[in-house]
Amino acid sequence: MSASDLGVNEVLGVSRIEGPLVFVEGIGSVGYDEVVEIIDARGRMRYGRVLEVGEGLAVIEVFAGTSGLSIDGTRIQFTGQPYHIPVAEEMLGRIFDGLGRPIDGGPEPLAERYADINGSPINPTARVYPVDYIQTGISTIDGMNTLLRGQKLPIFSAAGLPHDQLAAQIVRQVALGVPVGQPPAKEQQFSIVFAAMGVKNDVAAYFRESFTESGALTRVTMFLNLADDPPVERLVTPRAALTLAEFLAFEKGMHVLVIMTDMTNYCEALREISNIRGEVPSRKGYPGYLYSDLAALYERTGRIKSSEGSITQLPILTMPNDDITHPVPDLTGYITEGQITLSRDLDHQGIYPPVAVLPSLSRLAKDGIGEGKTRADHSHWASQLFAAYAHVQDVRALASVIGEEELSEVDQQYVRFGKAFEQEVVNQGLTENRSIEATLNIGWRLLSMLPQEELTRVSQSELDEYYKGSA
Amino acid sequence: MSEQVGTVTWINGPVVRAEGSRYVSMMDLVEVGEDQLVGEVIGLNGNVITIQVYEETSGMHPGAPVYDTGLPLSVELAPGLLRSIFDGVQRPLPVIEALSGSFIGRGIHVDSLNREDRWDFTPKLQVGDKVSGGTIIGTVPETEALEHRVMVPPDVQGTLTWIAPAKQYTIDEPIARVETESGEKELTMLQRWPVRRARPYQMRRSMTEPLITGQRVLDTFFPLAKGGTAAIPGAFGSGKTVTQHSIAKWADAQVIVYIGCGERGNEMTEVLQEFPHLVDPRTDRPLMERTVLIANTSNMPVAAREASIYTGITIAEYYRDMGYHVALMADSTSRWAEALREISGRLEELPAEEGYPAYLADRLAEFYERAGHVETLNGQAGSISVVGAVSPPGGDFSEPVTQHTKRFIRCFWALDKSLASARHYPSINWLDSYSEYIEGVASWWRDEVGQDWHAMRAYAMELLSEESRLQQIVKLVGSDTLPDEQRLILETARLLREGFLQQNSFDPVDAYSPVEKQIRMLGLILNFHRHAQRIIKQGALISAIHDLPVVNTMIRMKTLVGNDELEKFDEIQKEIDQQLEQLEAEYV
Ligand SMILES: Nc1ncnc2c1ncn2[C@@H]1O[C@H](COP(=O)(O)OP(=O)(O)OP(=O)(O)O)[C@@H](O)[C@H]1O
Ligand SMILES: [Mg+2]
């Protein structure tokens, strides 16, 4: 976008057009990954990017797709640098398209500077390990899969599940966590960077409304590539969003929450390009470098020594066929620091948010909870709830064979505990913002439904303090 | 030093082709483009040179120059390795941070090891001594935890004509001169070694000593021998990294090389922040003093990820050659294999299974073959134990990397997703895992711990596999229908699972379990079982045994009994005896 002032290298006419790719010959010195401006016969401009270059030939992916381009009459201008977007604090409160151009009727933002959307890897020695928890007000997250500032924690969802509601609720409620007993922090607010890739218009509208209602809109920047926008553009959208997030977090010292939805659409766009190029696929037609490509996005999260700010990522993806082993959730899970998994089964039972706690995990939780952070009993509490609820699954399986009446007395207690757990810990209102203390207390109340000898993951002193059941 | 040997003609991600000299050698290190990005020659065809570049090639264009250094990709070996963190091609990350800030810049050329630091050198030889590869010239206290033994490089042989007096030197300053057949050679503390070539040793030795990790499921059930190889495969979130971190913290190795290969930045930061504050129980020094970290995280260039494994193992061999026991962790070898696949794909090589190149198995074999317990060139015993994490897509072990790895390792720690989701940690499945070192290390346990570990382990395994068989029945009809003798097996197996196998890496007491504690715990549970079995035969009810207060004590004993108060087990044993005897009395 700032490109045209640089040494421009131009060709007229292309040799081949295939899907979103354009092949040009007879080029001079063109850089790998550089941005090109493509001008069709009618003078309209679109952007593209050099995917491969050599022997006088360049392969270009056209963000807006190739429809309307002709072999002759298409003009390509090489800009000499990778794709850059303007970054500025005043971009908060604004809405951009998937390539970072304003679509809210407002003017071009006044750039504080232009940044390469690819970013650079954070040096591991420059990072600060996350230890501060974020209060989302949602029990299954705060209590059992605690999210920390600087963590990347995706929501594994599936078509028809309320991941958008959950993400919007998190945005409304998100606050810096404080230990039980301390008054909630007031001033520090999160800034939100929202990237939509191939989502439906009404989903984007839902988020916008929700941000408006909660008064968050002035703290939100939206980058929208919608379902009817060009798929290849999707490859730019999360990069543009993360570039702004890095600027806000690491140059302006803000706490930034990045929501990216739907990563599955992003991966499909990547697969499309890869297939057209005839690359050797790995699983399900996805390219072998999908892991590295996703990592280049997800790793743009965290805290660094030189700034007070942080980037926390909450990517959302829909699992094709509800299959958690599908390459998109699978590779995501291998990169992110845990996952919040939604369950269709709980959703059918009317439980919101339908978080399946057993396949969910927050890997960083251990360092953000406990004495002085949440409450001293938190980690044993969580471990006990997980263990008890895991046992509920075995008991339910058995009950489905021999009938609930035939279960032992203790197992029947587990059945009742399991039901109550789903109804009271997992289930909560769309606007219900639970304190961490409330969450811990509900948990103890339910654990008290089980005999004390069953609770081997909590200590005796914790039992003495919080256990209210009949011993 | 470097001369231009060609110009770039084609660029595709990390793979670049150039045309030029026919005198460039395979595996030579080259510098590409105006930024002089570092790369390695991986193919030659006529005058076409194929190069994998260790840095992001964005912006590179045809016509850019290629310079040859004439040397293969090598690491620097000298005092200063310990406590360091390098990228995949041994660039020191803290130095890069000082030069380019929080984000890693491109085209940064820095020495791997500091040239200004001065080290206390103490000579160990005299003029006139015959030396050859591996001979120890002198020593340097590299850290308080480890004495660095400065060695004659493997390819030098002759007579010592001069040796530096005890004093401080930088790694560049001469410390000895050797008269060799091809003239006099000056030696410094610094040597270089090409990473893709194994360093020589005299011969392999048998593996009879376990690498003690303080992890009960490993040490007691699936031990790794010093010099052995283990793979730890598992789906995402099943515990590969936590297990490897635990081994890096607690294993009784003298040097740890930890390679973060295509994994998370935060995980390396965690080690960097934690290790300087954790104390090695054996040396009483911070763990960082025995540790070398290689971090080529998932968002760092993929070709350098491929190299990181070799960089790490070469450093490990160097310390092995000094006569140390080294443990190397690679997390994750799957990401390394994927790097191979990505490069191979861009070269348009014919893929074998799932897009991996046909030489995947050979490369894995070469890597694991560099583990071993050896007699070094200087006649000492040294070892490298290798633990490689494997990240199978979808957690499915039938994929190529897991399957090929299995052929070259002898210890298989299979992580189980369902155990992990039930929060049974470490989620190492005791029925799917195996160790081929059990017979080899049995006598070590007898001699050093004084217990018949082999028999105890076998008995415990028998109970666990019997439990698994019984669970099949329980799933169909419930446990009430089983005779009490079989229900006792379920009860004891529960004790083994919850009381023994489960071990929380983040618990201040339980993170590390000394072998003496392990064997005491196992002994208590097995004794309990035998005794209970007897009284059940006399008619005692399983429910009465289940309700004994000591059952709960046994489940909690791993944290109740501190690692330096093992005498408390005597009390627990007494409680067991008393409670069971009391029960027995009711039935006799
Ligand atoms: N021994 C253990 N004690 C306590 N918690 C554990 C243990 N092992 C694993 N965990 C828990 O499991 C989580 C995931 O473990 P880990 O990060 O090691 O998985 P992984 O197999 O390396 O996953 P990935 O392949 O995605 O890197 C940890 O964050 C921790 O919460
Ligand atoms: Mg891991």
Side-chain angles (χ1 to χ4, degrees), chain B residues 332-346:
Chain B
S332 158
T333 60
S334 293
R335 305 301 166 220
W336 166 80
E338 285 167 9
L340 275 186
R341 176 171 71 184
E342 183 171 340
I343 308 275
S344 160
R346 295 198 193 249

PDB file of all heavy atoms in Angstrom, chain B residues 332-346:
ATOM      1  N   SER B 332      10.218 -31.710  18.834  1.00  0.00           N
ATOM      2  CA  SER B 332       9.741 -33.044  18.544  1.00  0.00           C
ATOM      3  C   SER B 332      10.388 -33.528  17.249  1.00  0.00           C
ATOM      4  O   SER B 332      10.524 -32.760  16.305  1.00  0.00           O
ATOM      5  CB  SER B 332       8.230 -32.984  18.394  1.00  0.00           C
ATOM      6  OG  SER B 332       7.708 -34.040  17.648  1.00  0.00           O
ATOM      7  N   THR B 333      10.747 -34.820  17.219  1.00  0.00           N
ATOM      8  CA  THR B 333      11.370 -35.357  16.019  1.00  0.00           C
ATOM      9  C   THR B 333      10.402 -35.336  14.829  1.00  0.00           C
ATOM     10  O   THR B 333      10.831 -35.344  13.685  1.00  0.00           O
ATOM     11  CB  THR B 333      11.836 -36.801  16.239  1.00  0.00           C
ATOM     12  OG1 THR B 333      10.700 -37.598  16.573  1.00  0.00           O
ATOM     13  CG2 THR B 333      12.858 -36.897  17.345  1.00  0.00           C
ATOM     14  N   SER B 334       9.101 -35.300  15.121  1.00  0.00           N
ATOM     15  CA  SER B 334       8.144 -35.224  14.015  1.00  0.00           C
ATOM     16  C   SER B 334       8.270 -33.906  13.269  1.00  0.00           C
ATOM     17  O   SER B 334       8.099 -33.841  12.057  1.00  0.00           O
ATOM     18  CB  SER B 334       6.714 -35.366  14.529  1.00  0.00           C
ATOM     19  OG  SER B 334       6.522 -36.659  15.022  1.00  0.00           O
ATOM     20  N   ARG B 335       8.548 -32.848  14.006  1.00  0.00           N
ATOM     21  CA  ARG B 335       8.689 -31.532  13.351  1.00  0.00           C
ATOM     22  C   ARG B 335       9.954 -31.507  12.505  1.00  0.00           C
ATOM     23  O   ARG B 335      10.041 -30.826  11.499  1.00  0.00           O
ATOM     24  CB  ARG B 335       8.729 -30.415  14.391  1.00  0.00           C
ATOM     25  CG  ARG B 335       7.553 -30.412  15.333  1.00  0.00           C
ATOM     26  CD  ARG B 335       6.227 -30.270  14.607  1.00  0.00           C
ATOM     27  NE  ARG B 335       5.105 -30.601  15.476  1.00  0.00           N
ATOM     28  CZ  ARG B 335       4.033 -31.273  15.104  1.00  0.00           C
ATOM     29  NH1 ARG B 335       3.895 -31.700  13.864  1.00  0.00           N
ATOM     30  NH2 ARG B 335       3.069 -31.526  15.962  1.00  0.00           N
ATOM     31  N   TRP B 336      10.945 -32.238  12.960  1.00  0.00           N
ATOM     32  CA  TRP B 336      12.171 -32.367  12.183  1.00  0.00           C
ATOM     33  C   TRP B 336      11.870 -33.141  10.892  1.00  0.00           C
ATOM     34  O   TRP B 336      12.254 -32.738   9.793  1.00  0.00           O
ATOM     35  CB  TRP B 336      13.226 -33.077  13.041  1.00  0.00           C
ATOM     36  CG  TRP B 336      14.412 -33.567  12.282  1.00  0.00           C
ATOM     37  CD1 TRP B 336      15.482 -32.840  11.860  1.00  0.00           C
ATOM     38  CD2 TRP B 336      14.631 -34.911  11.845  1.00  0.00           C
ATOM     39  NE1 TRP B 336      16.357 -33.645  11.194  1.00  0.00           N
ATOM     40  CE2 TRP B 336      15.860 -34.921  11.172  1.00  0.00           C
ATOM     41  CE3 TRP B 336      13.904 -36.100  11.982  1.00  0.00           C
ATOM     42  CZ2 TRP B 336      16.387 -36.081  10.617  1.00  0.00           C
ATOM     43  CZ3 TRP B 336      14.425 -37.246  11.424  1.00  0.00           C
ATOM     44  CH2 TRP B 336      15.657 -37.223  10.747  1.00  0.00           C
ATOM     45  N   ALA B 337      11.115 -34.244  11.035  1.00  0.00           N
ATOM     46  CA  ALA B 337      10.754 -35.036   9.854  1.00  0.00           C
ATOM     47  C   ALA B 337       9.920 -34.198   8.887  1.00  0.00           C
ATOM     48  O   ALA B 337      10.059 -34.298   7.670  1.00  0.00           O
ATOM     49  CB  ALA B 337       9.987 -36.289  10.284  1.00  0.00           C
ATOM     50  N   GLU B 338       9.062 -33.346   9.437  1.00  0.00           N
ATOM     51  CA  GLU B 338       8.254 -32.491   8.573  1.00  0.00           C
ATOM     52  C   GLU B 338       9.112 -31.462   7.845  1.00  0.00           C
ATOM     53  O   GLU B 338       8.802 -31.068   6.727  1.00  0.00           O
ATOM     54  CB  GLU B 338       7.171 -31.792   9.385  1.00  0.00           C
ATOM     55  CG  GLU B 338       6.046 -32.734   9.756  1.00  0.00           C
ATOM     56  CD  GLU B 338       5.128 -32.152  10.823  1.00  0.00           C
ATOM     57  OE1 GLU B 338       5.276 -30.944  11.144  1.00  0.00           O
ATOM     58  OE2 GLU B 338       4.297 -32.886  11.335  1.00  0.00           O
ATOM     59  N   ALA B 339      10.158 -31.024   8.505  1.00  0.00           N
ATOM     60  CA  ALA B 339      11.071 -30.095   7.837  1.00  0.00           C
ATOM     61  C   ALA B 339      11.712 -30.797   6.644  1.00  0.00           C
ATOM     62  O   ALA B 339      11.795 -30.247   5.547  1.00  0.00           O
ATOM     63  CB  ALA B 339      12.127 -29.590   8.820  1.00  0.00           C
ATOM     64  N   LEU B 340      12.140 -32.046   6.861  1.00  0.00           N
ATOM     65  CA  LEU B 340      12.680 -32.844   5.751  1.00  0.00           C
ATOM     66  C   LEU B 340      11.661 -32.940   4.625  1.00  0.00           C
ATOM     67  O   LEU B 340      11.985 -32.777   3.453  1.00  0.00           O
ATOM     68  CB  LEU B 340      12.937 -34.282   6.210  1.00  0.00           C
ATOM     69  CG  LEU B 340      14.220 -34.661   6.901  1.00  0.00           C
ATOM     70  CD1 LEU B 340      14.241 -36.177   7.088  1.00  0.00           C
ATOM     71  CD2 LEU B 340      15.412 -34.234   6.070  1.00  0.00           C
ATOM     72  N   ARG B 341      10.415 -33.199   5.016  1.00  0.00           N
ATOM     73  CA  ARG B 341       9.364 -33.355   4.022  1.00  0.00           C
ATOM     74  C   ARG B 341       9.138 -32.062   3.244  1.00  0.00           C
ATOM     75  O   ARG B 341       8.964 -32.072   2.032  1.00  0.00           O
ATOM     76  CB  ARG B 341       8.064 -33.784   4.717  1.00  0.00           C
ATOM     77  CG  ARG B 341       6.889 -33.865   3.763  1.00  0.00           C
ATOM     78  CD  ARG B 341       5.678 -34.496   4.402  1.00  0.00           C
ATOM     79  NE  ARG B 341       5.063 -33.623   5.391  1.00  0.00           N
ATOM     80  CZ  ARG B 341       4.023 -33.975   6.158  1.00  0.00           C
ATOM     81  NH1 ARG B 341       3.524 -35.190   6.052  1.00  0.00           N
ATOM     82  NH2 ARG B 341       3.517 -33.138   7.025  1.00  0.00           N
ATOM     83  N   GLU B 342       9.155 -30.953   3.977  1.00  0.00           N
ATOM     84  CA  GLU B 342       8.896 -29.689   3.306  1.00  0.00           C
ATOM     85  C   GLU B 342       9.995 -29.368   2.291  1.00  0.00           C
ATOM     86  O   GLU B 342       9.728 -28.983   1.151  1.00  0.00           O
ATOM     87  CB  GLU B 342       8.778 -28.558   4.340  1.00  0.00           C
ATOM     88  CG  GLU B 342       8.443 -27.247   3.669  1.00  0.00           C
ATOM     89  CD  GLU B 342       8.096 -26.125   4.643  1.00  0.00           C
ATOM     90  OE1 GLU B 342       7.739 -26.418   5.793  1.00  0.00           O
ATOM     91  OE2 GLU B 342       8.205 -24.963   4.226  1.00  0.00           O
ATOM     92  N   ILE B 343      11.235 -29.578   2.707  1.00  0.00           N
ATOM     93  CA  ILE B 343      12.349 -29.312   1.792  1.00  0.00           C
ATOM     94  C   ILE B 343      12.271 -30.254   0.598  1.00  0.00           C
ATOM     95  O   ILE B 343      12.397 -29.849  -0.553  1.00  0.00           O
ATOM     96  CB  ILE B 343      13.710 -29.526   2.512  1.00  0.00           C
ATOM     97  CG1 ILE B 343      13.758 -28.738   3.819  1.00  0.00           C
ATOM     98  CG2 ILE B 343      14.880 -29.225   1.593  1.00  0.00           C
ATOM     99  CD1 ILE B 343      14.159 -27.340   3.727  1.00  0.00           C
ATOM    100  N   SER B 344      12.015 -31.519   0.910  1.00  0.00           N
ATOM    101  CA  SER B 344      11.938 -32.513  -0.147  1.00  0.00           C
ATOM    102  C   SER B 344      10.817 -32.174  -1.135  1.00  0.00           C
ATOM    103  O   SER B 344      10.989 -32.294  -2.348  1.00  0.00           O
ATOM    104  CB  SER B 344      11.702 -33.884   0.490  1.00  0.00           C
ATOM    105  OG  SER B 344      11.184 -34.782  -0.445  1.00  0.00           O
ATOM    106  N   GLY B 345       9.680 -31.720  -0.602  1.00  0.00           N
ATOM    107  CA  GLY B 345       8.563 -31.342  -1.458  1.00  0.00           C
ATOM    108  C   GLY B 345       8.933 -30.194  -2.377  1.00  0.00           C
ATOM    109  O   GLY B 345       8.602 -30.191  -3.561  1.00  0.00           O
ATOM    110  N   ARG B 346       9.650 -29.233  -1.853  1.00  0.00           N
ATOM    111  CA  ARG B 346      10.011 -28.077  -2.677  1.00  0.00           C
ATOM    112  C   ARG B 346      11.055 -28.460  -3.728  1.00  0.00           C
ATOM    113  O   ARG B 346      11.202 -27.798  -4.740  1.00  0.00           O
ATOM    114  CB  ARG B 346      10.513 -26.940  -1.806  1.00  0.00           C
ATOM    115  CG  ARG B 346       9.397 -26.420  -0.896  1.00  0.00           C
ATOM    116  CD  ARG B 346       9.710 -25.067  -0.351  1.00  0.00           C
ATOM    117  NE  ARG B 346       8.803 -24.722   0.735  1.00  0.00           N
ATOM    118  CZ  ARG B 346       7.874 -23.771   0.656  1.00  0.00           C
ATOM    119  NH1 ARG B 346       7.725 -23.077  -0.451  1.00  0.00           N
ATOM    120  NH2 ARG B 346       7.116 -23.501   1.689  1.00  0.00           N
TER     121      ARG B 346
END
